[in-house]
Amino acid sequence: MPTFRTVIEPFRIHSVEPIHMTTPEHRLAALDRAGFNLFKIDAQDVLIDLLTDSGTGAMSRDQWAALQHGDESYAGSPSYYIFRDAVRNLFPFEHVIPTHQGRAAERILFSVLGGPGKVVPNNTHFDTTRANVEYTGATAVDLVIDEGRDPQADHPFKGNMNVEALRALLLERGDDVPVVFMTITNNSGGGQPVSLANLRAVKAVCDEFGKLFFLDACRFAENAWFIREREEGQHDRDVVDIVRDIASLADGMTMSAKKDPMGNIGGWLAMNDDDLAAACRELLILTEGFPTYGGLAGRDLEALAQGLKEVVDHDYLNYRIRSTAYVGEALKQIGIPVLSPIGGHAVYIDARALLPHIDPLHYPGQALAVALYEMGGVRTCEIGTVMFGQQSDGTEVAAPLDLVRLAIPRRTYTQSQMDYVVEVCELVAATSEQLKGFRIAEAPARLRHFTAKFERVI
Ligand code: F0G
């Protein structure tokens, strides 16, 4: 068999939607109206939208066909059983509870397990996970390995948990820890994977202390592909078997089906413990819905069941991971500092390194994200001091890193569209010395990045 350099998309385009060409003047006016906050820009004014990979991917022909099988019965819909069995094929948990998205699963689980005085360790909490832990009065602790905090450290599994630190926490506060979490891949740490060996080590510590072990498994298939590529003894294995190995270590999971399950909406909570499941279902009925639909329509459940079959396809995962790396490598080649190794769903630019003349408290990530939009119509997301600098006492500190995330929706943009994105980054980097920072003109008390208004620092 000849081998080729080019990894192609394992699909062809079946239905297209227009994107809107805009001019820098048009975009500057949009920025002005939005107070320079990219969350407040209308999607119609965006050319390439890399704000998130969540719910923004393209469904397949077979997912659209599956929608037609949706049975909208309030109770006991066959669509629920098809969904449940597709989840269990990969994650064979006893109880599978649908929710409208990941954060609903988090809210329900932590309402049951959290509370004042409790401590929840994770490699790195995603922001909604942290917020849902903290909302109950519990403390969220991030215990990723040291390499996971260093944007340039070269480590194949930068999402790994620091097992010694977990052990020390359990020795000191064991009684207060209701559950140990692992996020795969580690989104807040750069879409970095966790190794099977690390998951096994965490499981062993959980067993030693008698603790529940849960996965936040949004990007499980990407994580499993990295394991197949990078972990000794895994190269010839089917991704489905790797996913089942991961699942067999855990007692349960929270899930956003807007990521690897290829849905535009959806999530679930799954677990083995009967009492815990009963308590969660009680809360589910209060705010999400009856246990056989959660917050979803029968047709959503059908589309997700099909998506779960497609995401573990090796040709898809090879293309997915390779096409993300392609963007990261192209940026590296033109001298733009990116977090490495390149993650699964996104490329992260180190804005603080690219814009050293902008003080972190003037938000280099925001300056870069605004410039990418203004010059090229590319919408990205600041992950830095705007997002994490606000303290509960009203003060502000620089976040550990100022990053800009280029999150890549699944099966959505072509290689030439991503080449265009790289070109926009190149143009912005060439004029980076002229970029100015921002100050916040108006912000709410929490989660300010969604609604704050900014002014340029002149
Ligand atoms: N956990 C992780 C690791 C996530 O990345 C997300 C969402 C969630 C939980 C919450 O899921 O959005 O369905 O409620 N991440 C999106 C992002 C929003 O842009 O990274 P949700």
Side-chain angles (χ1 to χ4, degrees), residues 25-212:
E25 293 72 37
H26 178 104
R27 296 191 290 263
L28 190 56
L31 278 169
D32 221 32
R33 287 195 300 277
F36 295 93
N37 187 332
L38 297 173
F39 282 100
K40 292 167 90 175
I41 298 275
D42 286 339
Q44 289 282 320
D45 295 328
V46 176
L47 192 56
I48 308 280
D49 206 345
L50 308 182
L51 187 65
T52 178
D53 65 319
S54 180
T56 52
M59 290 214 298
S60 66
R61 173 194 65 189
D62 294 341
Q63 283 182 289
W64 286 108
L67 285 183
Q68 295 295 333
H69 291 274
D71 178 305
E72 305 304 340
S73 303
Y74 188 92
S77 159
S79 301
Y80 168 72
Y81 296 106
I82 285 169
F83 163 78
R84 184 199 63 182
D85 292 348
V87 171
R88 278 196 187 152
N89 180 44
L90 296 167
F91 301 96
F93 294 119
E94 188 59 32
H95 303 278
V96 178
I97 304 172
T99 60
H100 81 276
Q101 62 182 87
R103 65 198 70 184
E106 293 165 0
R107 189 188 55 77
I108 290 170
L109 184 71
F110 295 122
S111 298
V112 176
L113 293 180
K118 299 280 173 63
V119 181
V120 178
N122 200 321
N123 46 353
T124 314
H125 289 82
F126 179 65
D127 56 8
T128 61
T129 324
R130 170 175 287 277
N132 275 301
V133 168
E134 291 175 350
Y135 189 68
T136 70
T139 307
V141 181
D142 293 341
L143 297 177
V144 71
I145 56 171
D146 290 344
E147 290 89 340
R149 299 180 202 268
D150 173 356
Q152 295 313 321
D154 198 18
H155 188 288
F157 294 103
K158 273 173 100 166
N160 280 356
M161 180 87 93
N162 181 336
V163 180
E164 281 317 304
L166 175 65
R167 203 153 200 293
L169 176 76
L170 288 168
L171 275 172
E172 196 187 324
R173 300 281 308 269
D175 288 349
D176 300 326
V177 175
V179 59
V180 174
F181 252 85
M182 281 288 263
T183 305
I184 59 170
T185 60
N186 188 22
N187 181 15
S188 304
Q192 300 292 323
V194 174
S195 69
L196 254 183
N198 188 253
L199 288 160
R200 288 193 180 116
V202 169
K203 164 70 173 162
V205 173
C206 289
D207 282 350
E208 187 186 331
F209 288 86
K211 296 296 165 193
L212 287 174

